[in-house]
Amino acid sequence: MSHIRGRLNKAVDKLVNKYTASIPFDWRLYQHDIAGSIAHAKMLARQGIIAPKEAESIVSGLKAIKDEIEQGKFQFKPELEDIHLNIEAGLMDKIGEAGGKLHTARSRNDQVALDLRMWAKEAIAETRNKLRGLQRALLDLAEANKEVAMPGYTHLQPAQPVLLAHHLLAYFEMLQRDIDRFGDCLKRTDVMPLGSGALAGVGYNIDREFLAGELGFSEISQNSLDAISDRDFVIEYEAAASLGMMHLSRLAEEIILWSSAEFNFIELDDAYATTSSIMPQKKNPDVAELVRGKTGRLYGHLTAMLTTMKALPLAYNRDMQEDKEGFFDSADTLLATLEVVTGIIKTIRVKKENMKQATQRGYLLATDLADYLVGKGEPFRSAHNIMGKLVSYAVQRGKALNELSLAEYKQFSPLFGEDAKSITTETSIAARDNTGGTAPKQVNKALARARKIVSGGS
Ligand code: ARG
């Protein structure tokens, strides 16, 4: 029987054990639980709540348990419910009576809040690093293909030419917002809840600032009821992770489209492609498809946790144990996705010529020709209309705009002159020369700015 069931006269039903145990997943908190307990034991001794000798034996017992866990020798018992009770019981077995003093001035409620915040802080740091890694890969690819032009799309219809580097830097921006968002999330996660007890605080003269210092927290929580029952930080991580995955799913979708025979803009490295069990010719972008697909799981975890927390009365309720699996899976999935997408981007082959050829189709210069007419005095709205008619004329004849003669142009507006013919993909791109535009001058500035971000501050 568990060491905390004094109030109850029977062992717990087997089925209940299985239903309520969190050890199958919260074992992952073992390092944080042990670090938290070591700090707590030290603090108890400093405050004269337990004897220094007792603290020493607790600390060495906990260290030994950590080694056992890492060597696969520690026996986790589901009847001990969770990681906290498993470690405490293991400690009592190992060091006897002193082990029973560790839980003085503490509850599992502040303990689990502490452990999970410590885990979250690490997950946030790792997520931000991996986001940065993907930013670097995108930036390298953009720099290596600085001059490459491609069609830009709206409605997935050819719209205006852009530089590939400009397109890639759009993702750099999204990832920068993700890094910032996780940074914001870190501020609210970096708050130390220990000392909140079960709900009301603890009746001992503890030193919460010392605990925060030992455990590397910037602040201590200010309300025990809130500290016990707050899982906002889990939800914030899941929300930021959902946004991050949404961005990655858009990149994945473009990788899928661009590697199709119809676009033929890129080729995936064989190490990042799969094949078909029946069609021998296939080279499939399954990895990118799974990035797109796994995004759904993260949205699910976010919705699940918001729903679990909805209308829960203060303070701790066991419902909150449901926080962990979705949280762990969100972080695991996002981290793995970031690694795999970084690998794709690092090894992708850009088919520059095909991108360039594609800029010759789809009447991408129609806006520039309308702007040309504006330059000759035509109001934009009527210039737009003239160009619409000209494009329709060219479409009917199966011709590109540059295949029409000047005489044909002049049928639509007498303002067209020989110089209309000097409008090209390159002049179109160079014309978008404001901050945030695709002109080489602007893109070079953006590349330099991005390089500075990845090689220094955030
Ligand atoms: N296993 C629990 C959880 O994950 C730990 C806290 C348990 N507290 C309690 N009063 N049963 O939330």
Side-chain angles (χ1 to χ4, degrees):
M1 189 143 108
S2 150
H3 60 291
I4 61 163
R5 287 180 68 81
R7 160 76 178 80
L8 306 168
N9 298 317
K10 274 190 191 173
V12 76
D13 183 272
K14 265 207 186 103
L15 199 59
V16 171
N17 231 339
K18 194 160 175 242
Y19 190 73
T20 57
S22 54
I23 193 67
F25 44 88
D26 71 9
W27 67 268
R28 289 181 67 169
L29 299 173
Y30 80 91
Q31 286 177 355
H32 314 88
D33 196 72
I34 289 174
S37 289
I38 289 177
H40 185 67
K42 286 185 185 166
M43 183 278 290
L44 291 177
R46 275 169 59 99
Q47 298 300 104
I49 299 168
I50 63 173
K53 272 228 148 55
E54 291 168 335
E56 273 166 36
S57 100
I58 289 172
V59 170
S60 61
L62 287 169
K63 286 182 177 160
I65 288 174
K66 183 165 180 257
D67 289 344
E68 281 172 27
I69 293 175
E70 280 163 4
Q71 290 157 17
K73 289 187 195 146
F74 188 82
Q75 237 212 315
F76 289 111
K77 297 183 184 144
E79 65 272 21
L80 289 173
E81 189 183 314
D82 56 26
I83 187 65
H84 325 291
L85 291 183
N86 267 275
I87 290 176
E88 189 186 343
L91 182 69
M92 285 161 71
D93 282 348
K94 202 175 273 306
I95 67 166
E97 206 177 304
K101 297 203 172 181
L102 171 62
H103 213 54
T104 315
R106 187 174 75 170
S107 154
R108 266 186 304 158
N109 296 349
D110 54 358
Q111 192 177 355
V112 71
L114 173 76
D115 294 1
L116 204 56
R117 280 179 184 269
M118 288 170 71
W119 195 91
K121 281 174 65 180
E122 286 178 14
I124 291 169
E126 214 182 321
T127 306
R128 295 180 88 208
N129 273 340
K130 292 217 155 61
L131 284 162
R132 183 64 16 114
L134 177 54
Q135 275 188 320
R136 277 200 189 94
L138 287 165
L139 182 55
D140 290 345
L141 186 64
E143 282 175 346
N145 293 280
K146 259 179 162 178
E147 76 302 338
V148 177
M150 59 173 283
Y153 298 84
T154 63
H155 313 269
L156 207 54
Q157 301 290 328
Q160 291 173 352
V162 293
L163 290 180
L164 170 64
H166 192 55
H167 194 107
L168 294 172
L169 284 176
Y171 287 99
F172 185 98
E173 290 295 315
M174 295 177 225
L175 299 177
Q176 188 56 38
R177 289 196 295 278
D178 291 329
I179 290 175
D180 292 347
R181 222 176 327 267
F182 279 108
D184 287 341
C185 168
L186 177 63
K187 281 182 223 151
R188 285 175 291 274
T189 304
D190 191 13
V191 179
M192 209 284 305
L194 207 57
S196 302
L199 72 162
V202 297
Y204 296 85
N205 177 29
I206 59 168
D207 184 346
R208 300 190 64 213
E209 275 78 13
F210 172 81
L211 288 169
E214 284 288 289
L215 296 169
F217 279 89
S218 311
E219 285 177 56
I220 61 173
S221 57
Q222 298 298 317
N223 181 294
S224 62
L225 292 162
D226 176 49
I228 292 312
S229 50
D230 171 26
R231 293 294 181 272
D232 293 7
F233 64 98
V234 173
I235 296 174
E236 278 195 52
Y237 183 95
E238 289 175 343
S242 294
L243 271 171
M245 280 299 282
M246 181 273 284
H247 291 148
L248 296 174
S249 77
R250 298 182 77 170
L251 179 57
E253 173 65 11
E254 298 208 305
I255 289 168
I256 294 163
L257 280 174
W258 291 6
S259 59
S260 69
E262 288 68 19
F263 272 83
N264 202 16
F265 283 178
I266 52 169
E267 177 154 10
L268 291 174
D269 190 81
D270 283 2
Y272 287 90
T274 50
T275 185
S276 155
S277 59
I278 172 169
M279 297 165 284
Q281 84 283 14
K282 297 282 285 201
K283 178 167 177 181
N284 291 333
D286 290 37
V287 183
E289 290 168 87
L290 277 166
V291 170
R292 198 173 57 181
K294 285 176 190 287
T295 305
R297 291 163 71 135
L298 274 86
Y299 294 4
H301 295 323
L302 171 62
T303 309
M305 193 55 195
L306 282 167
T307 311
T308 296
M309 295 304 292
K310 175 178 176 290
L312 274 190
L314 301 184
Y316 181 83
N317 299 273
R318 192 64 178 274
D319 314 46
M320 286 157 63
Q321 181 171 289
E322 288 293 308
D323 55 5
K324 290 170 204 66
E325 285 162 291
F327 184 23
F328 293 163
D329 187 65
S330 293
D332 292 345
T333 307
L334 178 57
L335 291 171
T337 301
L338 284 166
E339 263 183 68
V340 96
V341 174
T342 303
I344 290 179
I345 296 297
K346 276 187 170 165
T347 56
I348 217 161
R349 187 165 74 81
V350 173
K351 298 182 174 175
K352 304 179 189 191
E353 268 314 303
N354 292 352
M355 287 189 170
K356 191 170 170 196
Q357 272 171 27
T359 63
Q360 304 305 309
R361 302 187 292 266
Y363 306 94
L364 293 174
L365 301 178
T367 314
D368 294 84
L369 283 158
D371 290 339
Y372 167 89
L373 292 174
V374 170
K376 304 269 172 185
E378 190 72 40
F380 181 77
R381 196 39 76 214
S382 49
H384 177 279
N385 204 33
I386 291 165
M387 278 313 300
K389 292 205 166 105
L390 184 58
V391 168
S392 165
Y393 173 90
V395 169
Q396 277 166 27
R397 281 155 190 77
K399 286 187 170 174
L401 284 176
N402 61 7
E403 289 167 341
L404 300 177
S405 68
L406 184 57
E408 286 174 300
Y409 272 72
K410 280 188 182 290
Q411 286 172 29
F412 293 86
S413 167
L415 296 174
F416 280 119
E418 207 39 68
D419 53 346
K421 290 287 192 179
S422 60
I423 293 171
T424 61
T425 301
E426 288 69 31
T427 63
S428 166
I429 290 176
R432 268 91 193 151
D433 196 14
N434 295 298
T435 300
T438 192
K441 210 170 110 200
Q442 297 301 332
V443 172
N444 278 330
K445 267 206 297 195
L447 288 169
R449 174 180 163 273
R451 185 51 72 189
K452 209 165 143 194
I453 289 173
V454 299
S455 56
S458 63

